[in-house]
Amino acid sequence: MLSAPARTELGVALLRTMIRIRVLEEGIEKHFLAGDIPGFAHLSIGQEAVAAGVCANLRADDAIASTHRGHGHTLAKGTSMRAMVAELFARATGVCRGKGGSMHIADFSVGMLGANGVVAGGFGLVAGAALSAVQRKTDQVAVCFFGDGATNRGPFHENLNLCAIWNLPAIFVLENNRYASTTSTAETMKIADVSIRAAGYGIPATIVDGFDAFAVYDALAAATARARSGGGPTFVECKTFRARGHYIGDPERYRRKGEADDVMQSDDPIVRMQAGLGDALSPDAFERLWNDARDEFADAVAFARNSPAPERDEAFFGVFSGDRDPADPVHRIEARERDALVPFAPQVGSGSQGSGH
Amino acid sequence: MATMTFSEATLAAMREEMRRDPTVFLMGEDIAKQGGIFGQFKGLPQEFGFDRVRDTPISEAALVGAGVGAALTGCRPVVDMHFADFITCAMDEVVNQAAKLRYMFGEQCRVPMTLRAPDGITKSAGSQHSQALEGWFVHTPGLEVVIPADAEDAKGLLKAAIRSDNPTLYFEHKALFPVKGAVPDDDFVIPLGKAKTMRDGRDVAIVTYGITVGRALEAATMLEADGIDATVINLRTVWPLDYDAIADAAARTHRVVVAHEAVKIGGVGAEIASFIGEACFDDLDGPVVRLGAAHVPVPFAPVLQEAVYPKAPAIADAARRLVRREL
Ligand SMILES: Cc1ncc(C[n+]2csc(CCOP(=O)(O)OP(=O)(O)O)c2C)c(N)n1
C-alpha cells in the first residue's frame, strides 16, 4: 500500500494524464470540425481514467494494443503530443509518417502496437506480444484495450482461450462504455457484466468503476504483478461511458438527448479525481495542469502546421522491408507505374466532416 | 546433395533455422505430438521442446493474430494453417493486420511471420480442402507468396521465408510432400523473387510454379517428341514476381503458356499474361495462353476432380497449338 503522500503524487500524475487526453481530444474535435484533420476520428472523452490508470502501471517495453478509439491510450503510453497531432494532421512528421491517421496510429518506441481499424483486431496482437515475451523469456506484459462490442467477435474468444491455456502475460482491459457504435450493449448481449465471459476461459475477472482512475490503477497493479510473475492473464472490466458520439459528427440518434451531460455531471473522471484529492491539490495547481496541457497542445498544433505533407513518392514505399532499395527484389513499384498514375496534389487540410465509421 | 522427400526437406529447413535463431518458433494444430498431418514437423519438439513447437487449439484467427503480435515484438513465428483453406478463418489477421501494419505505421515495425499452408488438389479432399489461394494474397499489398515446386525449393524457400522480414505465405502442395528430390545439404537459401529456369528451349516458354512445374516438365518431354523445344520457368515466388525472367523468356521464345493449378479466372496467370501483353508485345508471335483450374469448387469424385485442372497433356497441347498457330 502506498503512503498518503505517494498516493497523492500518483493521483496528480493520473490527473495530469487525464487532462492531457481531454485537452488533446477536445482540440482534435475542434480541428476536425475546422477541416484540419482528414478521415474519421473517434473520441474517448469520459473514458480517460482507463487509459491513465492502466498505462501508469506499464513500462515502455510493455506492449499495448488499442482500438479505433485510441488517442487516450496512445498518449498515456507515452507518445509525444507533437508526433500524434502531426499524424492526425496528415504530416510527414507524424508518428506514422502520415500513413496511419487516427484509426491506425502506432508508436513502437513506447510499445504501442497500434490503434486498429478492425474491431477486435488487437486481441491477436496482444496474445502474440505476450507469447513473444514468454518465448524470449522476458517479464514484459501486454495489455489489450477493447470495447464491449469487440467481445461479440470471434477473435476475442479464440485469443482469451489461447492466453489462458498458455498462461500468457496478457491483460484484457474492457472499456464498457455502454455502446457499440449506434447500438447499446443491452441490445447485443444478454449479460450485464461482460466480464463473466472471461470465466468461460478460466481467466479471473474484476469489475471496476471506470471513472475512478485510482480504481483502474489498483486493478491493473494487481493484474500486472500477476502477469509478470507468471500468473497468467487477467480480465478487468471498467464500467465507463463515452461522452461524445461514436465519431465526430455522429448525430447520436440512438440515445436520449442530455444523457451524456447527466453522466458527466456526476462521473466526469477528471472532476472525480480532483474531488478525491481534496486539499492535497490546490486550485492553482489544478489550473496549472490544464494550462500546461493547453500549452502542450498549442505547441503540437503549431508543430503540425509547420510540418510538410508527405512527399508524393512516400505513398509507394514502406510496404515491404527493403522496398526503398531498388536492388532489392521486394522493390516492386516501378517508376513507370508510379508516373502512369494521375499526378495529384497532396490534399492537406481537406477534412471529411462528420462522416462514416 | 542428399535425396529426400519434400516433407523431409521442409523439416531440414526448420531444424536448421531453429538451431540458427532462437526466436524462431512454430505453432499450429496437431504439429507437435502428432508431427503434422504430412509428417512435416516430426522430431522437432524432441529437439526443440514443446515451447518452441506448440500444439494449439483450433483457433485460426488467434494463431495468425498471435503470429503477427509475436513477429512485431521480436520473434520469427512460423504458423501452420493445417490446410490452406482454413486461412479464410483468419482473413482479417492476414489481410488487414499482417500485410498492412508496416506500411500504415510508417515503417516502425516488421512482421517476420511465415504462414505454412498446405494447399492443392489431391486424393478427393473435396471443395474445402483442395484450394490454391495464392491469387488472393498476391492481390494484397504487403504479403510475400512463395510456392515450392520440389524438395530443393521446399528447403531453400522455407529458409528464405523464415529469414524474411516480411509476412510470407508458404504454400506447400499436399501431393508434393512424399515426392523425393535432390536437396543441397549446406545452408541452402533461395532468394525470394527469383525464378529458376528448369529447362531452356527456343520454341515456347511455359511459365509456371508449384506442382505445375512437374507437369510442365512432363509436357516439355511430350513436346520434344513433336520436335518442339520448350523452356520451363519455375517462378518459385509469385510475389515478388520475377518479371525480368518472364520478359526474358518471352523475348527468347516469342510464345508463352502460363499454367497453374489455381482457378484461372482472376489468377496469377492473368497478371503474368497481362504483363507480357503490356511489356513484351513486340516480342510475341502469338497470344499468351493461360491454363488454370475451371471456375468451379474442386469436386469430390476422382473422375470429376481430375477433370478440372491442367495436367501435362493439356499443357503440351496448348503449347503445341501455340507453336503451330492453331489457336
Ligand atoms: C470488424 C469490424 N466490424 C465493424 C466495424 C465498424 N465499427 C467501428 S467501431 C464499432 C463499434 C465498436 O464498439 P466497441 O467495441 O464497444 O467499442 P467502442 O466504440 O464502444 O469504443 C463498429 C461497429 C469495424 N471497424 N470492424
Side-chain angles (χ1 to χ4, degrees):
Chain A
M1 207 49 203
L2 289 174
S3 65
R7 194 76 177 165
T8 300
E9 203 178 309
L10 171 64
V12 172
L14 294 170
L15 190 55
R16 179 180 294 114
T17 302
M18 291 194 286
I19 289 173
R20 288 175 71 226
I21 297 170
R22 179 72 57 86
V23 166
L24 171 73
E25 290 210 309
E26 287 180 348
I28 289 172
E29 191 173 38
K30 188 177 115 222
H31 284 283
F32 187 92
L33 293 170
D36 295 331
I37 296 175
F40 317 139
H42 305 80
L43 302 179
S44 63
I45 291 173
Q47 304 179 197
E48 295 91 343
V50 181
V54 169
C55 293
N57 278 285
L58 303 179
R59 307 190 307 232
D61 69 339
D62 292 326
I64 64 166
S66 179
T67 68
H68 59 290
R69 201 178 302 289
H71 306 137
H73 311 142
T74 311
L75 196 67
K77 192 67 176 45
T79 299
S80 88
M81 192 108 72
R82 279 187 166 194
M84 280 195 72
V85 173
E87 182 62 31
L88 300 182
F89 274 55
R91 303 303 164 120
T93 52
V95 63
C96 302
R97 298 174 184 237
K99 283 170 146 170
S102 168
M103 247 191 317
H104 315 105
I105 202 163
D107 185 354
F108 281 71
S109 69
V110 297
M112 197 310 206
L113 306 186
N116 215 303
V118 177
V119 171
F123 292 112
L125 304 187
V126 160
L131 174 57
S132 163
V134 169
Q135 296 296 125
R136 292 178 294 107
K137 301 184 169 50
T138 74
D139 69 344
Q140 292 160 294
V141 304
V143 175
C144 189
F145 290 99
F146 56 101
D148 37 279
T151 71
N152 289 326
R153 288 206 59 232
F156 166 81
H157 299 275
E158 292 192 10
N159 282 293
L160 257 68
N161 186 53
L162 201 71
C163 290
I165 59 168
W166 288 346
N167 227 36
L168 299 182
I171 301 166
F172 298 97
V173 176
L174 164 61
E175 293 183 84
N176 186 345
N177 63 12
R178 308 181 202 175
Y179 292 94
S181 190
T182 65
T183 310
S184 83
T185 307
E187 287 177 67
T188 56
M189 50 186 93
K190 284 251 198 180
I191 49 178
D193 296 326
V194 183
S195 51
I196 67 169
R197 291 183 168 175
Y201 304 104
I203 296 178
T206 49
I207 296 176
V208 300
D209 176 349
F211 300 108
D212 178 350
F214 273 132
V216 176
Y217 179 91
D218 291 342
L220 259 290
T224 313
R226 203 172 112 79
R228 282 204 210 287
S229 62
T234 304
F235 190 112
V236 179
E237 174 168 5
C238 306
K239 301 279 195 191
T240 180
F241 184 76
R242 144 161 86 62
R244 291 292 199 273
H246 172 50
Y247 53 92
I248 300 176
D250 177 0
E252 297 182 65
R253 291 195 197 90
Y254 50 88
R255 64 184 182 187
R256 176 176 64 77
K257 279 226 162 352
E259 184 190 35
D261 293 340
D262 292 351
V263 174
M264 288 300 270
Q265 192 83 46
S266 56
D267 286 324
D268 183 332
I270 292 176
V271 177
R272 293 242 319 239
M273 179 57 84
Q274 187 205 6
L277 291 172
D279 293 340
L281 180 75
S282 72
D284 275 0
F286 183 59
E287 201 46 44
R288 233 183 351 263
L289 292 176
W290 284 100
N291 288 335
D292 288 351
R294 290 191 190 110
D295 289 348
E296 187 185 11
F297 182 70
D299 165 74
V301 170
F303 172 76
R305 284 206 196 285
N306 290 328
S307 295
E311 296 284 337
R312 181 183 185 273
D313 272 8
E314 181 65 34
F316 301 100
F317 295 100
V319 179
F320 289 108
S321 173
D323 67 7
R324 286 180 193 276
D325 174 5
D328 194 285
V330 300
H331 185 277
R332 275 296 146 222
I333 306 295
E334 308 289 340
R336 69 193 166 86
E337 291 201 1
R338 273 199 309 249
D339 296 340
L341 298 170
V342 182
F344 62 93
Q347 302 212 325
V348 174
S350 64
S352 62
Q353 294 201 2
S355 61
H357 292 237
Chain B
M1 284 282 190
T3 299
M4 61 179 83
T5 65
F6 183 100
S7 180
E8 289 161 347
T10 67
L11 262 173
M14 277 312 317
R15 209 177 291 117
E16 289 176 20
E17 291 310 295
M18 291 180 84
R19 283 179 188 163
R20 195 182 62 83
D21 181 349
T23 71
V24 175
F25 74 95
L26 270 164
M27 56 181 165
E29 296 156 23
D30 307 313
I31 67 168
K33 282 186 274 312
Q34 169 70 23
I37 37 182
F38 305 100
Q40 72 273 45
F41 301 101
K42 272 220 162 76
L44 291 177
Q46 286 66 31
E47 176 169 355
F48 300 102
F50 286 88
D51 286 339
R52 284 183 74 192
V53 187
R54 287 178 176 256
D55 274 327
T56 70
I58 305 161
S59 305
E60 290 76 12
L63 297 191
V64 180
V68 177
L72 289 175
T73 51
C75 291
R76 285 190 185 271
V78 179
V79 180
D80 181 65
M81 298 308 302
H82 214 69
F83 283 83
D85 310 72
F86 309 148
I87 295 177
T88 53
C89 305
M91 243 359 216
D92 172 59
E93 286 71 13
V94 178
V95 169
N96 285 318
Q97 314 294 339
K100 293 179 184 160
L101 299 193
R102 176 177 172 78
Y103 182 84
M104 70 187 191
F105 296 159
E107 289 161 69
Q108 294 183 69
C109 58
R110 297 178 299 194
V111 186
M113 172 179 70
T114 303
L115 291 187
R116 288 184 64 172
D119 74 344
I121 296 171
T122 187
K123 292 186 182 158
S124 282
S127 297
Q128 295 171 336
H129 288 73
S130 297
Q131 297 167 93
L133 302 177
E134 61 273 12
W136 293 349
F137 303 105
V138 169
H139 194 68
T140 300
L143 302 171
E144 291 171 337
V145 183
V146 308
I147 310 188
D150 53 26
E152 174 184 319
D153 284 5
K155 179 174 176 188
L157 288 172
L158 183 53
K159 285 170 69 88
I162 293 168
R163 292 187 195 186
S164 168
D165 284 336
N166 299 308
T168 303
L169 286 127
Y170 177 91
F171 285 108
E172 39 198 342
H173 200 291
K174 298 190 288 290
L176 288 179
F177 280 111
V179 177
K180 285 193 169 152
V183 178
D185 4 62
D186 53 338
D187 187 22
F188 169 64
V189 183
I190 297 172
L192 298 186
K194 287 268 170 268
K196 179 185 181 190
T197 303
M198 308 293 283
R199 192 178 190 289
D200 205 2
R202 66 200 132 69
D203 298 324
V204 60
I206 304 168
V207 176
T208 183
Y209 56 87
I211 195 163
T212 311
V213 170
R215 295 166 186 157
L217 289 169
E218 259 183 78
T221 308
M222 294 172 182
L223 290 166
E224 223 167 47
D226 299 332
I228 296 171
D229 191 11
T231 286
V232 174
I233 304 286
N234 169 10
L235 290 169
R236 287 182 154 170
T237 311
V238 292
W239 197 265
L241 196 51
D242 192 343
Y243 286 107
D244 294 340
I246 297 165
D248 183 57
R252 282 189 296 113
T253 63
H254 316 295
R255 298 172 198 89
V256 183
V257 174
V258 186
H260 52 58
E261 196 183 274
V263 167
K264 172 176 156 180
I265 306 293
V268 171
E271 166 59 30
I272 295 168
S274 91
F275 162 73
I276 297 171
E278 278 180 342
C280 318
F281 187 73
D282 291 335
D283 290 325
L284 295 179
D285 280 352
V288 180
V289 176
R290 269 193 300 151
L291 294 173
H295 203 227
V296 297
V298 178
F300 161 69
V303 61
L304 302 178
Q305 174 190 278
E306 293 309 304
V308 300
Y309 66 99
K311 292 190 285 288
I315 298 169
D317 186 53
R320 201 179 292 116
R321 286 190 289 121
L322 179 58
V323 171
R324 294 181 183 162
R325 294 175 177 259
E326 288 168 1
L327 291 165

